Each structure stands twice: as structure tokens, then as C-alpha cells.
Amino acid sequence: MTLKRAYPFDPLLKHHFIISLLLAVWIFIFLYFTEPLDVAELNNKEKLIFLPGYGLLAGFCYLLFLPLQYFLFKRNQKKWYLSNEFLLISCFSGFTIILARSYYLFVVVAGEPNPYTLSYMLKSIFLPALVVILPIIIIARFAFGKYHEKRLDDQKIEIKGEGNYEGLRLQLNELVYIQSSDNYIEVNYISNNILKKTLIRNKLSAIDNEFSELLRSHRSYLINPYHFQRWKTENGKLFMLLGYDTKVPVSKTYQTEIKTAINSTTN
């Protein structure tokens, strides 16, 4: 399996907070009931004082690495790969072990002689704990990523061609504008942060009737108001400036209607 293979990813912050909370609770339960090392020597009150700290540390570490995952996600043009997932999990695991060790030394056994060595704790608790804990993170991240992908797929629109001509399936907000071109329509859309064009055999009027979200600015143009930036007048003619340095004419026939529609969607 190549590390450059696409991997499910959920950018929603609230879902990662849920993962962080689940992680904190699961670690507390794991430590409380398995009683590794000297946990069995703690009374119930001490367990309730010290053990939640390990869970909170792990949950905090998970949230601490969220900026890294969003940086990688943005750098990869909103793509997420198995290598990114492996890097994130590895960094999280290593940093969490360091903080857990510090918590043990300076909080749990602070001032006590002969604490367990790092190598012994790695072998006896940290690595075995990772085997139990990491699957929770991996499964939760994968499940949320798949759920997000399904939601995105459900939101896609399909611009069909006439007869057996091939169409185009994409997210509504990836569509910038559509221009009529003889017996074809020229679909201008965003793919990997680049403006692309695809010719499809169909009539602009058919697309106008099918997708009420698009606005007619000219007899030859349909625009997606999501990408509207501002109005521009050149030589007495009105134009709309859209994202990705695109300019679309606005005919007098549609000026009042489209201005009203744009104002209602941007206010």
C-alpha cells in the first residue's frame, strides 16, 4: 500500500473534539480497570485524582496537533493521504508519551525515590497502551472521514450531456459559471484549486431549468453566486467579477433580477 494513497479525512473541528473526548475517557477507563504498574497501589480517591490526568493529556495532545493536520491538508490542496495520517499519528503518539512521562514524574510520583525508568515504562505501559488506544483514534478518524466523504458526494450535482454524451459530476460550489457555445455549454469549474473548462453537448436553457441555484446574467451565461466578488463597469457595460480572475457580462435584461438575487445571497 503506497503512502501517497488518498485517505478519508474530515475537516470538521467538532468531530475532532469528539475524538479527543472519547480518547480521554477511554484512557481513564483503560488505566482504572487494568491497573498497570503501581496504579493498583492507589486507593479509589487517588485513582480519581491522578488517572483522569493521563486521559486529559492525551486529549489535549490530540487537539494540539490539529493545526498540523490542517496545514498539511491545505498544503496538499485539500487532499489527505495515508502518509499524512501516518505522520500525524506518529507525532501525536511520541509527544503524548513525553507528556505522560512528565506527568508521572512531576505529578503522580513527585518527590518519591526510584521512579520507574523511561525504558521500563515504554515496555510495560506506553507501548502496550498504544496498541489498545490507537485503534480508537484510527477507527474514529476513518469513520468520520468516510462520513464526510459521503456527505460531500450526496451534495454533488451532475451536469448531463444530451443523449449519450458524457456529463460532469462535481460539487455545486466548485462550479463557477457556464457559458453557451453553439450546441455545447462550456462548464468552468474548480479542480485542485485550478480553474478548468469542459465542453458538454447541451443547451444553457436546460441547465438553467434544472439548477435553480444558478443565476442567469446574460443569454449566454449562468453564474454561481457563491463565487461573486464585485460589480465592474467598462465602457458603459456591466460585468460581474467572480473568483479565479473570471469576468462575466451582465445584460440589461437580467440586471435588476440578478442584482436582487446577489444582494439577497450576500447580505
Side-chain angles (χ1 to χ4, degrees):
M1 181 182 293
T2 175
L3 290 178
K4 270 301 180 181
R5 180 178 177 180
Y7 194 84
F9 177 76
D10 183 4
L12 296 181
L13 189 60
K14 64 179 182 180
H15 289 164
H16 291 289
F17 272 99
I18 292 174
I19 295 174
S20 173
L21 179 61
L22 289 174
L23 179 62
V25 172
W26 175 240
I27 288 177
F28 168 73
I29 293 173
F30 170 76
L31 294 176
Y32 189 88
F33 288 103
T34 61
E35 297 184 336
L37 297 181
D38 54 359
V39 170
E41 300 175 8
L42 303 175
N43 59 45
N44 284 334
K45 183 178 179 180
E46 289 174 327
K47 288 180 182 179
L48 294 176
I49 291 174
F50 293 119
L51 298 187
Y54 286 106
L56 291 175
L57 277 177
F60 169 76
C61 288
Y62 182 81
L63 296 178
L64 193 65
F65 279 93
L66 292 185
L68 172 62
Q69 78 167 6
Y70 289 122
F71 168 76
L72 294 173
F73 186 61
K74 185 176 180 180
R75 190 185 69 174
N76 293 331
Q77 298 181 337
K78 296 188 176 180
K79 300 287 185 181
W80 192 253
Y81 300 104
L82 185 60
S83 59
N84 302 136
E85 189 75 5
F86 180 79
L87 174 63
L88 188 76
I89 296 296
S90 299
C91 291
F92 159 77
S93 300
F95 191 71
T96 301
I97 287 175
I98 293 172
L99 280 190
R101 170 67 176 174
S102 300
Y103 180 73
Y104 168 76
L105 290 176
F106 300 111
V107 177
V108 179
V109 296
E112 295 187 13
N114 303 317
Y116 292 112
T117 64
L118 176 59
S119 60
Y120 181 77
M121 290 190 73
L122 280 173
K123 181 177 66 175
S124 301
I125 181 170
F126 290 147
L127 295 181
L130 285 178
V131 173
V132 176
I133 293 166
L134 283 185
I136 301 297
I137 303 175
I138 294 170
I139 292 171
R141 285 177 59 85
F142 184 85
F144 275 128
K146 280 294 186 181
Y147 173 72
H148 182 71
E149 286 183 352
K150 185 179 184 305
R151 286 188 60 203
L152 289 179
D153 192 63
D154 290 342
Q155 294 171 1
K156 285 185 177 181
I157 63 172
E158 185 175 6
I159 301 175
K160 300 177 182 178
E162 291 182 339
N164 295 323
Y165 285 89
E166 189 174 338
L168 179 66
R169 186 171 169 81
L170 72 169
Q171 296 291 326
L172 176 61
N173 287 343
E174 291 174 342
L175 175 63
V176 180
Y177 72 92
I178 303 175
Q179 181 181 358
S180 177
S181 179
D182 296 326
N183 294 324
Y184 292 82
I185 54 172
E186 181 183 273
V187 182
N188 293 261
Y189 61 100
I190 308 304
S191 179
N192 294 326
N193 213 32
I194 299 173
L195 184 66
K196 295 186 177 181
K197 301 178 181 180
T198 295
L199 280 177
I200 298 176
R201 188 177 179 87
N202 207 333
K203 296 182 177 66
L204 195 66
S205 58
I207 305 300
D208 191 11
N209 292 332
E210 185 174 0
F211 300 106
S212 59
E213 301 90 346
L214 306 180
L215 302 177
R216 176 85 77 153
S217 68
H218 187 278
R219 64 184 180 86
S220 300
Y221 288 86
L222 280 173
I223 66 101
N224 185 350
Y226 175 81
H227 293 282
F228 172 80
Q229 292 187 339
R230 63 187 176 90
W231 305 100
K232 183 177 183 179
T233 302
E234 291 182 357
N235 300 322
K237 295 182 179 180
L238 183 64
F239 293 87
M240 299 177 70
L241 296 184
L242 307 177
Y244 296 85
D245 297 321
T246 54
K247 183 174 68 173
V248 171
V250 180
S251 65
K252 292 181 180 179
T253 305
Y254 299 100
Q255 276 188 25
T256 302
E257 183 179 349
I258 197 169
K259 281 185 175 180
T260 301
I262 288 292
N263 289 335
S264 66
T265 56
T266 55
N267 290 337

